[in-house]
Amino acid sequence: KDTVDFQPNYDESEHEPKVLPAQFPNLLINGANGIAVGMATNIPPHNPGEIIDATLALIAEPDTPLDELMKIVPGPDFPTGGMIVGRSGIREAFETGRASITLRAKTEFEEVRKDRMAIVVTEIPYQVKKADLVEQLADLIETKKAPLLGDVRDESAEDIRLILEPKSRNIEPEMLMESLFKLSDLETRFSVNLNVLDAKGTPGVMGLKSILLAFLDHRREVLIRRSKHRLAEITHRIEVLGGLLIAYLNLDKVIKIIRTEDEPKPVLMKTFKITDVQADAI
């Protein structure tokens, strides 16, 4: 429906869209990361409902300030869960397009044996593999780099459940957790780099509001182009029907011209003052 421009594919055997006419801001919702020549991008995933609500807010009021948008989108939403520590990194990322945010595993304390509290990890930071994390924690015990940690067990089924036991009952789980955040991937840093291509294909770093407004510009262009395409189809159909109506009202004369003339098309156009498109249809 002519919503976007097409370009040749890699071997020019067919054509492909330059950009897909997505109906929601897929770039922020799915996230993206990659390295190209001389540049890189690292876009965290976001909650679909929050991003769409923020987009709707900008449709209603394009001058909505970032602070208002951040009430709708508090921050990135990582599919593996975990927690973002501090809001300053999120604010900087949404404002400038670049920042580093700290991710921590989600933990709770549980009594596993009499008078023995343990740490239960229920969510882990984004892009951390659970198996690698368990191996890392076990290695810390073996090399005695984490003297407060006594044992690590993986009791995960569909949900993540890692049991971290202190070496003795005198060790506070909070103290153990703080040391493990420093020593292991229970705490990681995510470098946000919202490096994107604009409508002209020029790379640049954008903030949250700029990306959403760019999406709305794209969406508006898609809708206008689709509407123009549909109008052109309707206009063409009306033109054809106008020619067919003339032919129907002068059926005998039209049949005679088609049967007797070597080149009936120009004769039809001259006789009935019809267009090229109408003559082709007849």
Side-chain angles (χ1 to χ4, degrees):
K1 295 181 180 178
D2 193 41
T3 53
V4 291
D5 291 332
F6 275 66
Q7 64 187 8
N9 69 337
Y10 69 98
D11 62 356
E12 299 190 353
S13 62
E14 52 188 313
H15 283 76
E16 62 186 13
K18 284 185 177 180
V19 61
L20 293 173
Q23 292 186 314
F24 63 97
N26 185 63
L27 180 72
L28 287 171
I29 290 169
N30 262 349
N33 64 75
I35 301 170
V37 179
M39 69 183 78
T41 190
N42 201 24
I43 302 172
H46 294 76
N47 181 284
E50 292 171 0
I51 290 294
I52 291 168
D53 285 345
T55 310
L56 291 172
L58 285 173
I59 292 172
E61 182 48 73
D63 292 328
T64 302
L66 180 62
D67 287 334
E68 290 300 311
L69 289 178
M70 284 189 66
K71 289 177 184 175
I72 304 169
V73 186
D77 191 357
F78 297 101
T80 52
M83 293 185 295
I84 298 172
V85 181
R87 294 192 55 78
S88 58
I90 300 172
R91 166 85 200 193
E92 188 183 346
F94 283 170
E95 189 170 17
T96 67
R98 278 205 177 101
S100 181
I101 56 179
T102 302
L103 305 178
R104 276 187 173 182
K106 192 172 182 182
T107 60
E108 52 194 47
F109 302 130
E110 196 176 290
E111 191 174 357
V112 287
R113 281 178 286 170
K114 192 179 178 183
D115 298 331
R116 177 66 68 96
M117 295 298 288
I119 299 159
V120 180
V121 178
T122 54
E123 296 173 10
I124 59 176
Y126 186 55
Q127 293 177 329
V128 171
K129 291 182 181 175
K130 186 193 67 174
D132 291 349
L133 178 61
V134 172
E135 190 176 328
Q136 186 186 42
L137 292 168
D139 188 57
L140 288 174
I141 296 171
E142 195 173 325
T143 55
K144 295 184 171 56
K145 288 179 181 175
L148 302 180
L149 181 61
D151 188 27
V152 55
R153 296 194 306 278
D154 183 4
E155 295 182 357
S156 307
E158 288 183 10
D159 297 325
I160 288 178
R161 183 178 164 85
L162 301 179
I163 310 295
L164 312 178
E165 282 196 42
K167 198 155 195 177
S168 74
R169 66 182 62 187
N170 299 324
I171 296 169
E172 292 292 329
E174 292 89 347
M175 193 189 300
L176 169 59
M177 206 63 244
E178 284 301 320
S179 70
L180 292 178
F181 283 143
K182 292 175 183 174
L183 294 167
S184 73
D185 285 342
L186 287 168
E187 179 178 297
T188 61
R189 296 187 77 78
F190 187 96
S191 296
V192 178
N193 183 13
L194 305 180
N195 193 10
V196 297
L197 299 179
D198 66 13
K200 295 176 183 175
T202 308
V205 179
M206 290 187 184
L208 173 69
K209 185 175 176 180
S210 302
I211 289 176
L212 291 178
L213 288 174
F215 167 76
L216 288 175
D217 289 341
H218 163 69
R219 193 78 201 128
R220 193 175 293 110
E221 184 187 351
V222 164
L223 293 172
I224 290 170
R225 285 180 63 158
R226 187 178 71 184
S227 299
K228 284 181 176 176
H229 176 77
R230 290 169 71 180
L231 280 170
E233 283 186 327
I234 292 166
T235 305
H236 174 77
R237 185 63 183 153
I238 289 170
E239 186 180 353
V240 168
L241 290 173
L244 294 179
L245 184 60
I246 292 168
Y248 179 71
L249 295 171
N250 301 276
L251 201 53
D252 291 341
K253 203 170 183 181
V254 169
I255 291 169
K256 186 179 178 184
I257 291 171
I258 291 171
R259 281 180 174 173
T260 57
E261 296 291 337
D262 291 334
E263 293 289 336
K265 185 176 170 182
V267 179
L268 285 170
M269 290 172 69
K270 186 177 180 182
T271 305
F272 300 108
K273 295 183 173 56
I274 58 175
T275 65
D276 191 274
V277 170
Q278 290 171 328
D280 273 337
I282 292 166

